[in-house]
Amino acid sequence: MTATDPALTALAQGWCALSALHGRIEAHVERALQAEHDLSVREYSLLDVLSRQHDGEGGHLQMKQVAEAVVLSQSATTRLVTRLEDRGLLERYLCPTDRRGIYTNVTEAGLRLLEEARPTNDGALREALDGASKNPELAPLVRVVESLNVPA
């Protein structure tokens, strides 16, 4: 294969379209969350992921798992947790069975903010997808996103 191979060119174009769709959606949702709730997309995502934890077996995520869920490095996730902890939206505590482990929970204030922000996030996501669906290059990707039934 060469750099001008049609298969590679098509693959690169597909990747560019996917990247463009992601960028459009993230920017639109970011603006809405910032304007209405003073939250970034990453902050919202972190609150959402952590709010789904439970006290059952395997119900609490280690920082590495949290980082994977919000698609950030562990160090960036730790900084994000610290920022939200400073705002009173998260709290950390020692794992009761392994004192080396530290877990993070969403506070009541964090849960309230998340619930207030959820309709903004969902509405902005819908608007961004509707807008992108009007672009012939992005419309097929929007249809794929809309057809996914991925568990939270």
Side-chain angles (χ1 to χ4, degrees), residues 32-78:
L33 287 172
Q34 283 289 345
E36 298 292 323
H37 307 284
D38 194 29
L39 276 177
S40 71
V41 168
R42 299 290 186 192
E43 291 167 337
Y44 176 88
S45 179
L46 180 64
L47 288 171
D48 185 52
V49 165
L50 292 175
S51 74
R52 298 173 192 275
Q53 296 181 118
H54 57 83
D55 289 330
E57 181 71 27
H60 284 275
L61 301 172
Q62 297 173 348
M63 196 58 71
K64 179 181 179 188
Q65 295 167 306
V66 174
E68 289 172 1
V70 297
V71 193
L72 290 173
S73 68
Q74 278 188 257
S75 60
T77 302
T78 299

Side-chain angles (χ1 to χ4, degrees), residues 71-91:
V71 193
L72 290 173
S73 68
Q74 278 188 257
S75 60
T77 302
T78 299
R79 289 189 302 274
L80 186 57
V81 166
T82 299
R83 278 199 314 270
L84 292 178
E85 187 178 35
D86 290 346
R87 289 175 59 185
L89 304 174
L90 297 178
E91 59 189 2

Side-chain angles (χ1 to χ4, degrees), residues 1-151:
M1 280 195 208
T2 66
T4 58
D5 185 315
L8 288 177
T9 301
L11 186 63
Q13 289 171 338
W15 171 245
C16 285
L18 182 60
S19 182
L21 178 62
H22 176 269
R24 280 179 166 206
I25 291 170
E26 188 170 58
H28 188 78
V29 174
E30 178 85 24
R31 284 190 300 273
L33 287 172
Q34 283 289 345
E36 298 292 323
H37 307 284
D38 194 29
L39 276 177
S40 71
V41 168
R42 299 290 186 192
E43 291 167 337
Y44 176 88
S45 179
L46 180 64
L47 288 171
D48 185 52
V49 165
L50 292 175
S51 74
R52 298 173 192 275
Q53 296 181 118
H54 57 83
D55 289 330
E57 181 71 27
H60 284 275
L61 301 172
Q62 297 173 348
M63 196 58 71
K64 179 181 179 188
Q65 295 167 306
V66 174
E68 289 172 1
V70 297
V71 193
L72 290 173
S73 68
Q74 278 188 257
S75 60
T77 302
T78 299
R79 289 189 302 274
L80 186 57
V81 166
T82 299
R83 278 199 314 270
L84 292 178
E85 187 178 35
D86 290 346
R87 289 175 59 185
L89 304 174
L90 297 178
E91 59 189 2
R92 296 182 219 206
Y93 66 96
L94 291 176
C95 172
T97 58
D98 180 358
R99 308 249 339 138
R100 296 170 296 172
I102 298 174
Y103 290 136
T104 305
N105 272 342
V106 181
T107 64
E108 288 301 318
L111 289 172
R112 278 192 307 276
L113 180 58
L114 179 62
E115 288 311 307
E116 291 168 7
R118 193 176 307 280
T120 303
N121 179 79
D122 295 350
L125 176 58
R126 180 74 267 157
E127 289 171 3
L129 286 169
D130 288 348
S133 70
K134 295 173 184 157
N135 180 322
E137 292 177 0
L138 301 180
L141 294 172
V142 171
R143 285 191 297 275
V144 169
V145 169
E146 291 173 335
S147 73
L148 294 175
N149 188 12
V150 180

